[in-house]
Amino acid sequence: ESMFESAFCDYGCGDIVVIIPEGVKKIEKRAFYFAHFDSLKLPESLEYIGDEAFYTYTTAKGSIFISKNVKHIGQKIFDGNIVIDKENDNFFDDGVAIYNDLEKTLVYFYPDVKKETYFVKEGTEKIIASGMFRKNYLIDNIVIPQSVKVIEECLWYKHEFKKVIVQSGETFIEKTAFKGNTKISYPD
């Protein structure tokens, strides 16, 4: 029913197809961390994907499909595009980012999406945006609403925003949330 932490860490090479069988509900943290395979199929029964579950896994098809039963996506799960089943009511996809509505969390930013200004969805309380080492974020400005309480570490690694607007003085921003960005300074 569960794939334990680091189960297939550094596993595989090249033309390997991984099919996780029906009945598996949980993929723990780093289960396929630095694993190397060509294709991945997740089961409909899957409900939980832990942090860095497929970290560094990329697919030739360019995306990973998340079924309608998934309720949780951890940080930095995948270095490619995520496609959420349209029947999954737990997530909201606006074409730029994916939000977990159950947890009130922004969990993923699509790479290579061009947008002058992006407004984080009102009601979001936490930004974890899985996948910190993205190919390109093509967003110039980002507006973070008052509802956001926490912005996690290494969120926009080395991304040079022109402007970041945080609408609340109560938002906790991890010191490394904008690591490598030369234009952002933090108050002491």
Side-chain angles (χ1 to χ4, degrees):
E1 190 167 291
S2 180
M3 300 192 83
F4 57 91
E5 185 173 334
S6 301
F8 295 93
C9 183
D10 287 319
Y11 171 81
C13 182
D15 295 333
I16 294 173
V17 174
V18 175
I19 299 171
I20 299 172
E22 280 303 325
V24 171
K25 292 183 178 182
K26 188 173 188 178
I27 297 176
E28 298 284 353
K29 178 179 180 179
R30 295 184 174 179
F32 291 90
Y33 190 76
F34 283 103
H36 306 282
F37 43 89
D38 187 55
S39 177
L40 172 68
K41 178 155 176 24
L42 301 176
E44 284 287 321
S45 58
L46 190 62
E47 296 176 357
Y48 179 97
I49 302 173
D51 293 348
E52 301 176 337
F54 304 104
Y55 189 71
T56 73
Y57 165 67
T58 55
T59 175
K61 294 180 182 175
S63 62
I64 188 170
F65 183 75
I66 306 295
S67 76
K68 65 182 178 183
N69 296 313
V70 174
K71 295 179 179 102
H72 176 84
I73 295 175
Q75 291 185 30
K76 301 176 272 182
I77 67 156
F78 179 58
D79 190 28
N81 284 332
I82 293 176
V83 175
I84 302 287
D85 187 322
K86 291 188 187 317
E87 293 181 32
N88 189 325
D89 295 330
N90 303 316
F91 294 90
F92 172 76
D93 182 343
D94 68 4
V96 175
I98 296 174
Y99 296 83
N100 182 324
D101 284 344
L102 286 175
E103 298 173 353
K104 298 182 180 176
T105 303
L106 191 162
V107 296
Y108 180 82
F109 264 98
Y110 287 103
D112 304 321
V113 173
K114 184 157 180 56
K115 191 106 172 140
E116 185 175 334
T117 301
Y118 181 72
F119 293 86
V120 172
K121 180 180 168 194
E122 187 62 53
T124 302
E125 295 180 0
K126 187 175 182 181
I127 300 175
I128 65 168
S130 56
M132 67 177 174
F133 296 108
R134 289 278 160 235
K135 300 168 194 151
N136 287 306
Y137 285 124
L138 304 172
I139 300 170
D140 293 333
N141 309 300
I142 189 160
V143 179
I144 299 168
Q146 282 189 321
S147 60
V148 173
K149 307 291 181 233
V150 176
I151 299 173
E152 292 286 342
E153 62 183 337
C154 292
L155 180 58
W156 290 289
Y157 182 78
K158 292 187 178 179
H159 180 77
E160 297 287 351
F161 284 109
K162 291 179 181 172
K163 188 186 285 185
V164 175
I165 299 169
V166 180
Q167 296 180 331
S168 171
E170 303 293 316
T171 301
F172 175 76
I173 302 172
E174 289 281 348
K175 193 157 187 112
T176 59
F178 299 94
K179 183 178 180 178
N181 186 315
T182 60
K183 297 177 183 175
I184 294 178
S185 60
Y186 294 88
D188 290 331

